[in-house]
Amino acid sequence: MIYEVKQTAKASALFQGWEETMILSCLQGIMGRLYSAESPASAMAVLGDFTFFAGRVSRELISFKPKDCTQDFMIMVGQNEEWNHAIAEHYGAKAAVVSRYAFKKEPNAFDRQKLEHAASSLPDCLEADLIDEQLFYLCKANGWSTDLVSQFKDYEEYRRLGLGVVIHKGPKIFCGASSYSRYRDGIEIEIDTREDHRRQGLAYACGARLILECLKRKLYPSWDAQNPWSAALACKLGYHYSHTYQAVEIHGY
């Protein structure tokens, strides 16, 4: 039997040493949820499109889908190869093993002067603004930009927990950098650019502005890259590569 973990301290030992901010969001009770089987030897942390598994491999946990999880896509990350193998085996043709890129958590690694220069490198016809209520709902209204704010139920929750920047021209948005999730000491960054405005330096400018805003607020802007292009952007912004790890993408979850 699977149950939701309310006393998160019981699960924290299983995730110890795992530098993943979305796990912290769940453990700190800020966002996401924790689940376990009747035996506390394994646990899973679920936040948005991500599920993290720790402890002893549990096929019961792997097959469990929370009732409020309505999407048909999930990125599952096991604590080790045994977990990932079990996940891929269970989901079969729905599963695709992919590589993701982790970066060191170094609050003092950023060159503020370089970031300020990058943040100001926009064409005169475009504006970069913090996400307010109007921009929040504009992000939600466009399919490509939904993930910038999708983990917050409404603007009030985003205003309280989130932080983001969009590049726009009036009501048309072209790029955004925002908090996919929030934990006590920082955010996990999500960056998206409208397809017809990619490779124009917008993500670089937008990411730089968000990092600066985080530093002003003493929040750490955590970055985890889905692909080599995102990894290259992270390095350009001042992050230092840590390691590549495996995840399993589930299509038709």
Side-chain angles (χ1 to χ4, degrees):
M1 179 180 176
I2 305 299
Y3 66 94
E4 184 176 351
V5 178
K6 297 294 188 180
Q7 300 297 322
T8 60
K10 295 180 180 179
S12 63
L14 296 175
F15 292 100
Q16 190 170 8
W18 198 341
E19 287 192 334
E20 172 53 64
T21 69
M22 284 182 277
I23 295 173
L24 286 178
S25 297
C26 296
L27 290 172
Q28 294 169 356
I30 296 173
M31 298 180 72
R33 296 186 180 181
L34 287 164
Y35 297 91
S36 182
E38 286 194 39
S39 167
S42 56
M44 60 186 271
V46 184
L47 200 166
D49 292 335
F50 291 84
T51 299
F52 303 90
F53 296 92
R56 189 170 60 203
V57 173
S58 167
R59 295 183 184 277
E60 188 181 13
L61 271 181
I62 289 171
S63 63
F64 174 73
K65 184 175 182 178
K67 290 181 180 178
D68 60 352
C69 183
T70 59
Q71 74 262 32
D72 61 0
F73 174 74
M74 183 64 75
I75 300 168
M76 294 187 169
V77 186
Q79 196 173 44
N80 50 45
E81 289 184 13
E82 187 181 2
W83 269 109
N84 288 337
H85 177 76
I87 293 165
E89 184 178 63
H90 175 80
Y91 287 97
K94 295 180 179 181
V97 179
V98 299
S99 294
R100 295 182 65 93
Y101 307 89
F103 290 85
K104 296 177 182 178
K105 306 289 191 287
E106 301 173 307
N108 298 317
F110 301 105
D111 183 333
R112 292 180 188 243
Q113 187 174 2
K114 181 180 178 182
L115 291 173
E116 287 168 359
H117 183 265
S120 64
S121 62
L122 283 178
D124 291 338
C125 61
L126 298 180
E127 300 174 83
D129 288 306
L130 292 176
I131 295 177
D132 59 12
E133 187 169 9
Q134 181 183 12
L135 292 172
F136 175 88
Y137 288 108
L138 281 174
C139 289
K140 287 183 74 72
N142 293 277
W144 68 267
S145 59
T146 299
D147 277 346
L148 294 170
V149 297
S150 62
Q151 300 313 311
F152 303 87
K153 64 181 180 181
D154 53 29
Y155 176 68
E156 178 55 33
E157 184 174 65
Y158 185 85
R159 185 193 63 78
R160 183 169 55 87
L161 295 174
L163 179 64
V165 176
V166 294
I167 293 173
H168 67 107
K169 183 177 182 181
K172 294 183 178 180
I173 58 175
F174 304 111
C175 181
S178 182
S179 45
Y180 183 81
S181 57
R182 171 67 186 269
Y183 66 107
R184 193 173 294 140
D185 299 319
I187 66 170
E188 186 68 34
I189 289 182
E190 170 81 19
I191 291 191
D192 294 296
T193 305
R194 207 172 84 174
E195 190 171 0
D196 60 346
H197 278 68
R198 292 174 184 169
R199 300 187 182 280
Q200 297 178 24
L202 299 188
Y204 180 49
C206 208
R209 171 72 184 280
L210 179 56
I211 292 169
L212 287 168
E213 294 294 337
C214 285
L215 297 179
K216 286 180 188 176
R217 294 162 172 77
K218 300 189 185 304
L219 296 173
Y220 185 75
S222 178
W223 191 294
D224 185 271
Q226 180 184 18
N227 53 52
W229 296 275
S230 176
L233 177 59
C235 292
K236 189 175 180 181
L237 287 165
Y239 292 89
H240 295 127
Y241 170 80
S242 174
H243 61 279
T244 300
Y245 67 94
Q246 301 299 305
V248 186
E249 293 183 350
I250 310 299
H251 301 265
Y253 176 54

